[in-house]
Amino acid sequence: MKVACVGAGPAGLYLSILLKLRDPSHDITVYERNPEGCTYGGGVTYWHGLLDKLHKHHPASARAIEESSIRWNEGVAHVRGRTARCSGDTGHGIGRHRLLEILAGHARSLGVRLEFEREIFPEKLPAADLVVASDGIQSTLRTQYADHFGTQARRGRNRYIWLGTSKVFEAFTFAFVETGHGWIWCYGYGFSPEGSTCVIECAPRTWTGLGLDTANEADAVALLERVFAGVLDGHPLVDGHPHVGGSGADGGAQWRTFRTLTNRTWHRDNLVLIGDAAHTTHYSVGAGTTLALEDAIALADALHEHAALPQAFARYEQERKQALLPVQSAARYSAEWYENLPRYIHLPPQQMFALLGQRHSPLLPYVPPQLYYRIDRAAGQVEALRRLKRRLGPKVARTVQARALASRK
Ligand SMILES: Cc1cc2nc3c(=O)[nH]c(=O)nc-3n(C[C@H](O)[C@H](O)[C@H](O)COP(=O)(O)OP(=O)(O)OC[C@H]3O[C@@H](n4cnc5c(N)ncnc54)[C@H](O)[C@@H]3O)c2cc1C
């Protein structure tokens, strides 16, 4: 079979490896618009479940990925000078650049042709039996047939920027800082012995209030370094996007709003969507790369089992849509939680962490919405108490609320 994968992100590269492993006679080319070694973003997180799958499907690349990853066993949240810790929270971080280098090396050694600096345009697709749109969230191949695919996008409210730092966080670290214009927060995780990723996020009001909407990059970074000096320990923040391209963020370090994307169907004739081209989940659950690699596994399996493309696509799509449901749900809750942060920030640190901890297990079978519901209620009570305190004074307010709660039981 002649296969063209458009986009050399994790999805396209891993699929090419798996297809070649299954049938070395496949003629596979991966096209990538960027030069080799150029990519966006610093590091990405993943959890042990992914490693198990990678070891099962291609032990050599799995070993290299594991060896190139940083591991942490603890989460730490700094809120208002208080620190909450959550131990036993094991995760892995790997540089995106290194991950792609590993996958590209293995793809090449298996006989996959990699063509860098080759942008593919939808009106001029390569002639192939199977064309894989592994071209990320902004997929032009998908956009060309947006009606057919039933693409829907929901843009988040908050602004975020994906930066790096030379500080190597030993734990997955959150820092929430209150400014005169509202809260701004970052989460950092190590991805190599030299550095960490640092994603910074805030509400639009905070973004404009702090002047981040108009500041040039150097000034914005300097301001953020001051805001997060407490966790950076004097280390600088650096552009996490030294190179162009990519789905999450193209064209350098910039403030963005996240687009959650779904498609009604993932295939059209011999064209199939995979990874971010097919679906995205809010970055706060750190799952997109894992999902992209799992898509590749499912598509390779389906193509192996069904010679006819329509059957293979149907099986792939059904399996992956099903598997995505809990992660999409977790991502939705997580994004909304951050968008409503002022409502929760006054909760006791351990309750805060119960929610932040959801980020660390998005791929577990079930992320309980009840937890969000419970904590949402608790946050509502905290808010109500604060309002009462303002009106009636602290002592009377606590008595009134205690009576109200007792009468609800
Ligand atoms: C701030 C942020 C933090 C994140 N953190 C994590 C995390 O911690 N863990 C995690 O698992 N995921 C994370 N993600 C998500 C993750 O980066 C993506 O889900 C993942 O990269 C998707 O892989 P992909 O192969 O589908 O697409 P991409 O990795 O986006 O690859 C697409 C490739 O296609 C190329 N391309 C595009 N158009 C063309 C064309 N026309 N011709 C040729 N080439 C083309 C692009 O240059 C790019 O190289 C994060 C995302 C963001 C925005």
Side-chain angles (χ1 to χ4, degrees), residues 7 9-11 32-33 40 45 96 120 135 162 189 247 276 286-289:
E32 169 57 51
R33 65 183 172 189
Y40 67 91
T45 55
R96 221 184 109 82
I120 300 298
D135 51 348
W162 196 354
Y189 46 90
S247 60
D276 272 11
T289 305

Side-chain angles (χ1 to χ4, degrees), residues 6-12 31-34 38-40 43-47 96 100 118-122 134-141 160-162 189 197 199 244-249 258 274-277 279 281 283 285-292 359:
V6 180
Y31 299 93
E32 169 57 51
R33 65 183 172 189
N34 288 334
C38 289
T39 187
Y40 67 91
V44 288
T45 55
Y46 66 92
W47 283 263
R96 221 184 109 82
L100 297 182
R118 265 297 296 280
E119 179 154 7
I120 300 298
F121 298 94
S134 48
D135 51 348
I137 189 172
Q138 295 177 34
S139 169
T140 48
L141 272 59
Y160 75 91
I161 189 165
W162 196 354
Y189 46 90
T197 277
V199 179
V244 292
S247 60
F258 189 79
I274 180 172
D276 272 11
H279 49 77
T281 48
Y283 53 83
V285 296
T289 305
T290 294
L291 296 175
R359 187 196 198 281

Side-chain angles (χ1 to χ4, degrees), residues 162-217:
W162 196 354
L163 295 172
T165 172
S166 51
K167 157 108 186 172
V168 182
F169 291 111
E170 278 170 18
F172 195 105
T173 303
F174 299 89
F176 296 85
V177 176
E178 193 169 18
T179 73
H181 303 280
W183 289 88
I184 185 164
W185 54 96
C186 77
Y187 25 90
Y189 46 90
F191 67 81
S192 83
E194 283 87 43
S196 303
T197 277
C198 217
V199 179
I200 297 173
E201 183 180 329
C202 61
R205 179 177 86 78
T206 312
W207 186 61
T208 48
L210 292 174
L212 292 165
D213 54 334
T214 50
N216 65 36
E217 196 176 313

